[in-house]
Amino acid sequence: MTRAEAKERNRRALLDAAFQVVSRDGYRARLDEIAERADLTTGAIYSLFGSKNGLVVALVADYLRPYYEEIEQAVPAGLDLLEAVDAFARYYRRSCDAADALPGLSLQITLLDMALHDPELGAQLATSIRAQEDHLIALFTGRPHNGSAVTSHQAQRLTTALRALFVGLGQGVPLGLAPGADEQYFADVARALASGMFLIDHDADAS
């Protein structure tokens, strides 16, 4: 095994261990337990991630990366805006039934708690999440809607609104708080949101 391969193996082991410990303990997560689960030392954490916060930020990026990659596959080019929003909504609903839905929900809630206890970490997490959401903004930008192309500014506003909508619904589904919220329901409310937002020229508001 090369040095680069060993480094990536150690990084992967620490991220997997951190997912388990951070999801359970939040800001109380201990680096020594994470290192022990990964069969490494705490020194490896500092060497690879710089700090506990660095490890948590890397964990979030690692958790979100495949999610956004799958969205790009689920929402192909050639769809207009409402069709793209529909496809995204249906993908998001299916993800609520995935095997890792409950652990993922636990991680979301835990990260929010950690951010509230550590404003510096909260700012780092927000930066990481916004960087990932740029992929979704790019996915909606330029799509046709009502005779014009969606601007980057409009796509950004839409992405923020959809995130708020789906985080709420996505938390409700595994907890049994969203009865009847099937794929069609997700698609209908997402389409309604997107249609309503574009009744106003938000670019004009921003100028």
Side-chain angles (χ1 to χ4, degrees):
M1 181 180 296
T2 66
R3 179 175 298 181
E5 289 172 338
K7 181 178 180 179
E8 180 56 30
R9 180 200 61 186
N10 292 344
R11 182 179 179 279
R12 181 75 263 157
L14 287 169
L15 288 172
D16 290 342
F19 183 91
Q20 299 173 30
V21 179
V22 170
S23 296
R24 185 193 68 202
D25 297 340
Y27 68 94
R28 299 183 183 85
R30 292 174 21 242
L31 291 183
D32 58 344
E33 181 179 356
I34 294 172
E36 182 179 354
R37 282 175 176 261
D39 290 326
L40 295 166
T41 66
T42 55
I45 296 177
Y46 289 106
S47 174
L48 289 168
F49 302 102
S51 65
K52 180 178 178 179
N53 282 3
L55 173 60
V56 173
V57 171
L59 172 62
V60 171
D62 183 72
Y63 175 75
L64 290 177
R65 186 176 299 108
Y67 165 72
Y68 283 103
E69 290 174 352
E70 290 171 6
I71 289 174
E72 291 179 357
Q73 296 177 5
V75 186
L79 302 181
D80 66 23
L81 177 69
L82 294 186
E83 291 170 336
V85 167
D86 187 294
F88 172 48
R90 292 177 185 278
Y91 165 80
Y92 200 104
R93 178 59 184 86
R94 291 193 296 273
S95 72
C96 294
D97 295 327
D100 62 349
L102 284 177
L105 176 57
S106 176
L107 181 63
Q108 289 178 29
I109 295 171
T110 297
L111 290 171
L112 177 59
D113 184 51
M114 294 179 75
L116 293 174
H117 280 85
D118 186 341
E120 180 181 349
L121 174 61
Q124 292 175 322
L125 290 175
T127 298
S128 176
I129 292 170
R130 279 194 294 267
Q132 296 292 330
E133 286 187 349
D134 284 345
H135 295 292
L136 196 55
I137 293 170
L139 196 64
F140 291 136
T141 299
R143 292 186 185 268
H145 182 69
N146 286 346
S148 61
V150 177
T151 67
S152 177
H153 176 69
Q154 290 172 327
Q156 181 179 28
R157 291 175 66 95
L158 176 60
T159 295
T160 298
L162 288 173
R163 173 170 49 80
L165 173 66
F166 288 145
V167 165
L169 286 174
Q171 291 177 357
V173 168
L175 294 175
L177 300 177
D182 56 9
E183 275 192 38
Q184 190 61 52
Y185 179 84
F186 269 59
D188 288 343
V189 295
R191 277 177 169 267
L193 176 64
S195 298
M197 287 188 68
F198 284 91
L199 293 176
I200 301 174
D201 185 352
H202 294 301
D203 278 342
D205 293 344
S207 61

